[in-house]
Amino acid sequence: MNTLILRTVAPLITALMLLFSVFVLLRGHNEPGGGFIGGLIAASALAIFGVAYGPGAVQRAIRFHPMAIAGAGLFLSTISGFASIFAGVPFMSGLWIYPNVFGVELPLSTVMSFDIGVYLVVVGAITAIALSLETEPDDEDETEGGR
């Protein structure tokens, strides 16, 4: 789609949706939201950007291959689950640490790292699907089939 209106508002809409997806991710377990819904919102934002500017612009914007993002998220989620085994508690039990960062006590948990991993898996997988649907087949593949 090559409309002037969409190309003008797409960066703003994408930025707002990405910011909102992080908000939904962070409010996660205390209220409705979390990694899955936040990831869907972020993937939708990237899809809107892709419709306006093409899949190449999305690939340049995310800087990493979408499946690498999904793989990193899967790794983070897995490590979050196994951290509880190493601590001697049942699998997927939430663990908390409270480091002091600049004099402020910051609560960090394996629950949040699991949600971030889910977020990355959803963003990577859905973005990979959307990009594969938006790209057109190479002309070389079509000409080789005719030989």
Side-chain angles (χ1 to χ4, degrees):
M1 182 177 294
N2 199 8
T3 66
L4 179 63
I5 295 172
L6 181 62
R7 290 177 68 93
T8 303
V9 299
L12 178 64
I13 290 173
T14 301
L16 289 174
M17 287 179 72
L18 288 173
L19 185 64
F20 182 66
S21 76
V22 171
F23 169 75
V24 169
L25 165 69
L26 293 178
R27 71 182 245 181
H29 287 282
N30 297 331
E31 295 181 24
F36 186 78
I37 300 301
L40 287 177
I41 294 169
S44 299
L46 294 173
I48 288 172
F49 193 74
V51 167
Y53 289 100
V58 174
Q59 290 171 343
R60 286 188 301 275
I62 60 176
R63 298 181 191 247
F64 295 103
H65 192 276
M67 293 310 291
I69 295 171
L74 184 60
F75 180 73
L76 181 61
S77 294
T78 304
I79 293 299
S80 298
F82 282 118
S84 59
I85 290 177
F86 296 132
V89 294
F91 182 66
M92 295 292 287
S93 294
L95 301 175
W96 293 84
I97 59 172
Y98 300 93
N100 281 325
V101 178
F102 302 115
V104 176
E105 189 175 327
L106 181 67
L108 298 176
S109 70
T110 57
V111 175
M112 181 53 70
S113 63
F114 179 81
D115 264 350
I116 292 170
V118 170
Y119 178 89
L120 293 174
V121 167
V122 172
V123 168
I126 301 297
T127 301
I129 292 169
L131 288 176
S132 69
L133 291 175
E134 288 182 5
T135 56
E136 295 182 18
D138 294 336
D139 291 333
E140 296 172 7
D141 292 340
E142 293 175 5
T143 57
E144 289 177 12
R147 289 184 186 178

